[in-house]
Amino acid sequence: MRDTPLTQAHIDRDARMVDFHGWNMPVQYTGILAEAECVRTKVGLFDLCHMGRLEIRGADREALVDRVFSGRTAKLKHGRAKYGFLLNEAGYPIDDVLVYRDLDVMHVVINATGRDTDPAWVRLQNEKSGFDATVVDVSDDQAMIALQGPASEMTLQPLCGTDLSALRYYGFTTAPVLDVECLMARTGYTGEDGFELFFPQEHAGAIWSALLGSGRSLGIAPIGLGARDTLRLEAGMPLYGQEINLEIHPLEADLAFGLDMDKTGAIGIEALRAIRAEGFPRRAVSLGAPTGRVARPGCKLFQGGTEVGTVTSGTHSPTLGSNVARALVLAEAAELGGILDVEIRGRTYPFEVVPAPFYRRKR
Amino acid sequence: MADRPSDIQYTKTHEWVRVQGDEATVGITDFAVEHLGDLVFVDLPEVGRTLDAGEAAAEVESVKAVGQVDSPVAGEVTEVNEGLADDQGPLTADPYGEGWLYKVKLSGAPGNVMDLGAYEQQLATEEAAGE
């Protein structure tokens, strides 16, 4: 197992540690329910150093990103981020990523599970296309931490030398925190307001501690991966490997907002246009049940005794106090208000098809 | 450190059993409760069901995980703690008392059980192993 620069800080706070795709990470500190509530009502701090970070440089950096990234980069302004996918030729995601357009570099944030595959894929496409670009993997040089929750701005502002109120959702800027030059983006994976910070890894401990200190009077707490997964699922955000993977494409996963379907020359988009034209049998749906058992990934779904799909993510929602899930089902079973039976450990439990997302913050 | 009773017996898989005459009460230990995290569901056996020692008898589910309860004793289920279906609070607050799971009329002696000393030694070993 690999440690992040903050692993010891988590152990020192008595976090429960788990092996997360080869990383020694905190799954919870005090409890998933308390941590999720802290992010929804106050502010939480997340260690995301295990995720991957690429920098694409050179004269053709934007051409390379435009080729490997599914989203609309042509209209992406400097200082803005965009969600999308690295697609294979068949239109299926190798990963889901955020692209940040900076002055002389494109930053790409990838999942921990993509740290081996993604750079190799982007480099291969770079070579094939003959672009003048270089793909630098800065995952081991940069730390990444997130502040999420309504008190995020109040926590970060006293430590940083820029006016955060001017930073819009999905915008980013560069500013010092504790005299360390940080890239800070108003992005996140919880459905709350918040920031993701990128900076040289040797300062991880100092910045982590400073944020906990600054947020103390606001009720800040460090948050584990357990609460992070419930928060993202409540907010309707996909997890690579579950909602999308090499066998579930973005159209059926209801993630078309991460696609520029009019692009030419981008890998996988042509294939997705063909899939769209031909029609596809499955749809992603949100499911809810007031009480009872929690639907887990892989649970089968039935309607009138016929198998109609599979749960991709499921949890007890701390914010709603009920059970929620995402599932991929045949289109005829995807109707809102319909009842689907989820098979959980040998028995079936009724879940209702409900609108997505489960949670939307008030602005 | 939880206050674990010394008049009950424990299993390697973190259940406990209190034998009184030909009746036994079964639950899970504070370690099991702590380890599961925030509880959301408890599935108990039906009254009248006959359990073998070691048979899967109940399930305790948290936000993140499902814990299977293997019956430490054989016998017929006479009573279950039905309130736990709606409120798992007692299981967290008082796992050796109000948080009991089910009672059986014994049809034999408990299977693989140990006393408090042996159980705590096991926990110490597990914790030392990073568990």
Side-chain angles (χ1 to χ4, degrees), chain A residues 97-255:
Chain A
V97 303
L98 275 185
V99 167
Y100 301 73
R101 185 174 178 186
D102 212 336
L103 277 180
D104 51 2
V105 59
M106 302 287 273
H107 307 276
V108 184
V109 175
I110 64 178
N111 282 295
T113 48
R115 282 182 63 162
D116 292 330
T117 47
D118 296 4
W121 172 259
V122 179
R123 282 181 185 130
L124 176 68
Q125 303 311 321
N126 188 33
E127 281 163 29
K128 274 189 176 174
S129 305
F131 287 135
D132 174 17
T134 51
V135 180
V136 187
D137 185 346
V138 294
S139 308
D140 288 330
D141 307 317
Q142 277 186 4
M144 176 176 177
I145 60 183
L147 263 180
Q148 298 279 292
S152 294
E153 189 179 306
M154 286 169 74
T155 300
L156 182 57
Q157 187 64 77
L159 299 175
C160 100
T162 189
D163 176 14
L164 290 172
S165 68
L167 191 59
R168 287 159 54 215
Y169 190 51
Y170 269 63
F172 69 93
T173 189
T174 308
V177 173
L178 296 182
D179 294 329
V180 176
E181 198 74 349
C182 284
L183 189 152
M184 52 189 74
R186 200 153 203 153
T187 49
Y189 194 50
T190 63
E192 295 302 329
D193 185 23
F195 301 89
E196 291 176 311
L197 308 182
F198 306 82
F199 53 87
Q201 205 160 89
E202 61 266 29
H203 303 292
I207 289 182
W208 179 265
S209 300
L211 287 167
L212 287 175
S214 176
R216 187 165 297 134
S217 61
L218 301 164
I220 196 171
I223 311 296
L225 294 173
R228 180 170 163 84
D229 191 51
T230 67
L231 291 161
R232 70 91 193 165
L233 182 51
E234 288 177 344
M237 294 171 166
L239 174 60
Y240 186 80
Q242 294 183 200
E243 274 68 52
I244 37 167
N245 56 39
L246 292 173
E247 289 163 354
I248 306 175
H249 61 68
L251 293 174
E252 59 190 349
D254 197 18
L255 296 170

Side-chain angles (χ1 to χ4, degrees), chain A residues 332-354:
Chain A
E332 49 270 34
E335 205 170 311
L336 278 180
I339 301 294
L340 301 179
D341 295 317
V342 183
E343 187 180 89
I344 305 170
R345 294 173 75 90
R347 269 194 259 169
T348 60
Y349 300 80
F351 278 67
E352 185 182 341
V353 181
V354 297

